[in-house]
Amino acid sequence: MLNDIYNKRIIELAGNIPRLGRLSDADATATAHSKLCGSTVKIDLKMEGDKVTDFAHDVKACALGQASSSIMASHVVGSTASELRELRETVRKMLKENGSPPEGKWEEIKFLEPVREYKARHASTLLTFDAVVDAIGQIEAKAKQPATAQG
């Protein structure tokens, strides 16, 4: 039932999204968009080495995209690039391959588990995870460029 995916905790998360806005000094910006529902998440990310030091986002998404973004914003600072890549893969598997939700600081993602039954909602749920991994890739690519190529 569709009511299962819009459970009380999802609505609470969607209504209380931390770190809304933009970073003026972001190391990278990435946008993820769902053609199916029109949801868009734009994120700004700052990293020092392998760790996220700051994060902000502009979320124009359904309640599921908002809830995912809320969870991301609550825990992303201090996370490492490899942790965030692994998280995206865990959430993807949870939705598409009946995988288990993540544990530890990301355990609230379990409230998105009922989305598994609604393939049309997978893209909006994954937006924030895709955008963060995209931004990490941008930052890593810049770091590999010779100093003369960086402007």
Side-chain angles (χ1 to χ4, degrees), residues 3 22 52 72 95 98-99 129:
N3 290 343
R22 304 296 310 276
V52 174
M72 177 63 75
L95 294 176
N98 287 333
F129 304 101

Side-chain angles (χ1 to χ4, degrees), residues 64-78:
L64 298 171
Q66 292 174 20
S68 294
S69 293
S70 181
I71 295 166
M72 177 63 75
S74 295
H75 303 292
V76 67
V77 173

